Amino acid sequence: QVQLVESGGGLVQAGGSLRLSCTASGSRFGILAVGWYRQVPGKQRDLVARITWDKTTNYADSVKGRFTITRDNAKNMVYLQMNNLVPEDTAVYYCNADRLGSIIWTWGQGTQVTVSS
């Protein structure tokens, strides 16, 4: 019933930037924590960044200092600003809400980010 929609991905050269957007149709993020995840073929989906209802954030070590997660509850949107991209950032990026780290909604289609060297 809840449909997660990610957008903003694309092809960018190393050192470039992208801003990803996430929204959930059929529900509100509200007090839920929301995270961005990424997955490459043959690997598990890993948490990249997470933001709580009161805007506490945490990041994977690989993206600290380069990515920034933000949220706008009034717009029911969560964003991921990605700067200084490197080829290792290439992946499909997904968003989802969680309670104490447990995913609560069905995954969306994600948005492809490709970083060329």
Side-chain angles (χ1 to χ4, degrees):
Q1 186 173 4
V2 176
Q3 188 172 105
L4 291 161
V5 181
E6 302 93 346
S7 62
L11 175 63
V12 64
Q13 292 184 344
S17 298
L18 288 171
R19 187 184 70 168
L20 308 184
S21 299
C22 167
T23 192
S25 66
S27 191
R28 306 286 298 182
F29 290 127
I31 64 170
L32 296 169
V34 182
W36 281 98
Y37 304 76
R38 66 187 181 188
Q39 187 173 38
V40 299
K43 293 188 175 182
Q44 68 180 19
R45 188 164 13 217
D46 292 327
L47 180 67
V48 174
R50 181 175 181 267
I51 186 167
T52 65
W53 72 274
D54 61 346
K55 299 185 179 180
T56 299
T57 60
N58 65 281
Y59 299 91
D61 288 342
S62 59
V63 307
K64 281 182 179 177
R66 300 188 297 117
F67 291 9
T68 304
I69 186 171
T70 57
R71 69 190 296 165
D72 186 338
N73 275 12
K75 297 179 180 178
N76 203 39
M77 297 288 291
V78 178
Y79 306 96
L80 185 67
Q81 179 66 46
M82 311 165 68
N83 297 327
N84 304 122
L85 286 161
V86 295
E88 291 75 19
D89 296 320
T90 295
V92 178
Y93 284 71
Y94 304 85
C95 62
N96 214 324
D98 74 84
R99 281 188 258 100
L100 299 177
S102 296
I103 296 297
I104 62 171
W105 291 328
T106 300
W107 297 99
Q109 295 300 307
T111 185
Q112 175 72 51
V113 172
T114 302
V115 185
S116 62
S117 60

